[in-house]
Amino acid sequence: MDDQIRQIAERLRGLRDAMELSSAEIAADCGINPTEYERAESGEHDISVSMLQQIARHYNIALDALMFGEEPKMSSYFLTRAGKGVSVERTKAYKYQSLAAGFKDRKGDPFIVTVEPNETPMHYNTHEGQEFNLVIEGRLLLSIGGKELVLNPGDSIYFNSRLPHGMKALDGKAVKFLAIIM
């Protein structure tokens, strides 16, 4: 697994140690499957942004602290130049580029997400809140609550992210989209 994933796992363990909680307590507090949480903390498995967001929201810490190891400092505005956002590749198939990593106390988390084509089964996430996706390039197969939708460049969708949802790049090409998780 990627070095960035191991670093995120170390930050999860550090947070848990600092709060003097067991992995089972964190999982229960945040509504996460205990086995899934332990796998995330091992650093040998993919860690979903939605899981990190659940933990960050529950313990009132910045998502950036878990993802990138830095606390946001800006409160008036935060400018991200094209292609310059802090990024993390959860796996070779998913890359998340944060568009607001330096803005503290934000109400949503905007990312440019790149999904590479692959033949593995779709992975599903659920998390509190809502999500907005706008396809920039490529074609995206999005499954929400068992309904499959194809989004083309310029298409957008706003949905209840408590519903199981997953995505896949179509046509053997990468897809890039704006995702705002609220």
Side-chain angles (χ1 to χ4, degrees):
M1 222 354 93
D2 187 287
D3 188 48
Q4 291 177 322
I5 300 298
R6 286 190 190 94
Q7 290 174 12
I8 293 170
E10 285 177 27
R11 289 190 282 274
L12 284 174
R13 285 191 301 274
L15 174 67
R16 183 173 55 78
D17 288 345
M19 293 187 306
E20 298 180 349
L21 296 171
S22 69
S23 59
E25 289 172 310
I26 288 197
D29 287 350
C30 299
I32 300 168
N33 177 294
T35 303
E36 186 178 334
Y37 178 80
E38 287 177 9
R39 287 174 46 135
E41 227 186 62
S42 77
E44 298 299 320
H45 300 277
D46 184 22
I47 304 170
S48 73
V49 172
S50 59
M51 177 193 295
L52 294 174
Q53 189 178 53
Q54 283 175 264
I55 294 166
R57 283 183 177 170
H58 183 80
Y59 294 112
N60 198 29
I61 61 171
L63 176 62
D64 311 83
L66 292 176
M67 287 185 73
F68 311 115
E70 295 183 19
E71 289 284 336
K73 296 171 180 52
M74 303 304 291
S75 60
S76 296
Y77 68 90
F78 183 80
L79 173 66
T80 302
R81 297 285 182 195
K84 301 295 182 186
V86 180
S87 67
V88 64
E89 289 188 39
R90 289 187 9 231
T91 68
K92 295 210 184 304
Y94 291 89
K95 177 182 176 186
Y96 283 78
Q97 179 185 15
S98 177
L99 300 178
F103 195 88
K104 66 181 181 177
D105 300 326
R106 62 185 176 269
K107 305 295 183 228
D109 292 299
F111 297 95
I112 295 291
V113 181
T114 304
V115 179
E116 297 294 335
N118 66 52
E119 298 303 316
T120 60
M122 194 178 291
H123 175 75
Y124 291 88
N125 286 310
T126 61
H127 52 91
E128 289 296 314
Q130 300 166 343
E131 189 167 329
F132 171 80
N133 295 337
L134 169 68
V135 176
I136 299 168
E137 62 186 51
R139 291 181 356 113
L140 176 71
L141 174 62
L142 181 64
S143 176
I144 302 172
K147 174 127 177 103
E148 291 193 346
L149 306 159
V150 175
L151 283 74
N152 296 299
D155 291 347
S156 66
I157 188 164
Y158 193 101
F159 61 94
N160 177 349
S161 51
R162 288 183 198 102
L163 296 171
H165 57 281
M167 59 199 65
K168 200 168 187 82
L170 295 176
D171 307 324
K173 297 178 184 173
V175 64
K176 186 181 286 190
F177 63 96
L178 169 67
I180 302 174
I181 303 170
M182 298 154 279

